[in-house]
């Protein structure tokens, strides 16, 4: 295997901060999976981060990811791709075909569509349920009080193995109580993975037990504004 890597300052700094946060929290080195969120960046912007050794990437739109990742995956076959944005059932096939993990299972229609495509394509992406910890009307995710029943239905009705939970705390609030709530729900359900923490708060998330942190701008720089 080619182990030559080039330096990428943004990635190097985030890796150091993740390692420091693991140590500070008394957690094993390497216990947190760093997902480099490459949404809005094209292949030219992503290749230097791959060249620096990063293999786990996150995207929030199926269509955007389907446009740029098949070629990048062909260049570097051990890429692991995570869907961290909302999924529509008519995109379930593309999502199951392309992604190695889906963090945003949040309703029966999606759970059923993903289950059907997994059976059809013979692929088993790792699955997480998104929880709307702030009960924000505009935000995706199941409500905290509905999470236990929904995870149970994913198993019993849809035959899905749920690996963990994901949340995006309200922007205007302190994230810590949201991370604590997600960890508490996952704990009582016996779920191992906690996808929480972004550029502004991943160290806090690691202190609360995050296993997957989703970091975009701290690695790639500021994203162009969405149009
Ligand atoms: C964009 C995005 C991120 C990364 O955000 P940054 O603040 O750039 O680190 C993380 N999670 C989700 C769901 C996102 O859409």
């Amino acid at each position: 295997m080619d182990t030559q890597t080039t330096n990428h300052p943004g990635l190097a700094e985030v890796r150091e901060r993740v390692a420091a946060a693991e140590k500070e929290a008394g957690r094993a080195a390497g216990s947190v999976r760093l997902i480099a969120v490459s949404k809005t960046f094209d292949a030219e912007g992503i290749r230097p981060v791959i060249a620096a050794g990063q293999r786990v990437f996150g995207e929030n739109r199926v269509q955007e990811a389907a446009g740029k990742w098949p070629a990048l995956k062909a260049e570097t076959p051990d890429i692991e791709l995570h869907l961290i944005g909302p999924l529509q059932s008519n995109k379930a096939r593309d999502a199951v075909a392309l992604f190695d993990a889906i963090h945003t299972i949040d309703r029966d229609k999606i759970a059923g569509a993903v289950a059907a495509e997994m059976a059809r394509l013979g692929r088993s992406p790792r699955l997480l349920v998104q929880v709307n910890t702030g009960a924000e009307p505009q935000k995706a995710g199941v409500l905290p009080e509905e999470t236990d029943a929904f995870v149970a239905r994913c198993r019993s009705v849809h035959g899905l193995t749920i690996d963990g939970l994901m949340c995006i705390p309200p922007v205007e609030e302190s994230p810590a109580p949201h991370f604590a709530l997600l960890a508490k729900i996952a704990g009582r359900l016996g779920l191992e993975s906690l996808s929480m923490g972004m550029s502004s708060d991943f160290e806090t998330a690691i202190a609360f037990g995050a296993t997957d942190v989703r970091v975009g701008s701290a690695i790639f720089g500021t994203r162009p504004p969405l149009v």
Side-chain angles (χ1 to χ4, degrees):
M1 203 185 111
D2 183 10
T3 51
Q4 283 291 107
T5 57
T6 54
N7 186 45
H8 185 284
L11 178 65
E13 195 205 312
V14 169
R15 281 180 164 171
E16 276 172 26
R17 287 171 59 190
V18 167
E22 287 173 337
K23 197 171 178 202
E24 173 80 21
R27 301 181 53 190
S31 56
V32 175
R33 179 188 279 105
L34 172 61
I35 302 171
V37 178
S38 49
K39 66 187 185 196
T40 76
F41 291 95
D42 62 11
E44 297 313 304
I46 296 169
R47 277 196 192 96
V49 180
I50 297 175
Q54 179 68 19
R55 290 295 178 271
V56 185
F57 289 86
E59 289 283 343
N60 73 334
R61 296 169 73 181
V62 176
Q63 214 152 350
E64 180 187 339
K68 62 191 179 186
W69 277 102
L72 289 167
K73 275 188 159 190
E75 294 168 15
T76 310
D78 58 340
I79 293 285
E80 186 181 306
L81 202 55
H82 292 236
L83 178 62
I84 60 170
L87 179 57
Q88 310 298 323
S89 53
N90 64 357
K91 297 276 168 42
R93 183 168 306 177
D94 290 347
V96 170
L98 183 64
F99 289 96
D100 304 294
I102 298 174
H103 294 226
T104 50
I105 305 294
D106 68 349
R107 55 199 190 279
D108 283 278
K109 192 174 180 196
I110 288 300
V114 165
E117 296 306 335
M118 284 169 61
R120 185 198 305 268
L121 299 171
R123 278 183 57 85
S124 310
R126 210 157 62 82
L127 302 176
L128 289 82
V129 165
Q130 182 174 355
V131 182
N132 185 358
T133 56
E136 296 173 277
Q138 82 287 3
K139 197 166 270 177
V142 293
L143 293 171
E145 63 269 27
E146 292 169 353
T147 306
D148 298 55
F150 180 67
V151 169
R153 284 204 307 285
C154 283
R155 293 192 182 116
S156 63
V157 177
H158 306 293
L160 294 175
T161 299
I162 299 299
D163 200 56
L165 304 178
M166 175 270 214
C167 77
I168 308 170
V171 281
E172 69 283 5
E173 286 181 30
S174 160
H178 296 274
F179 297 154
L181 175 60
L182 199 72
K184 183 177 151 196
I185 300 170
R188 75 174 177 238
L189 292 172
L191 299 174
E192 283 184 3
S193 299
L194 282 172
S195 167
M196 55 190 199
M198 317 197 336
S199 290
S200 59
D201 55 19
F202 67 84
E203 283 125 329
T204 305
I206 290 170
F208 280 91
T211 61
D212 295 56
V213 293
R214 312 178 307 264
V215 181
S217 46
I219 295 173
F220 286 93
T222 313
R223 279 184 295 277
L226 292 176
V227 283

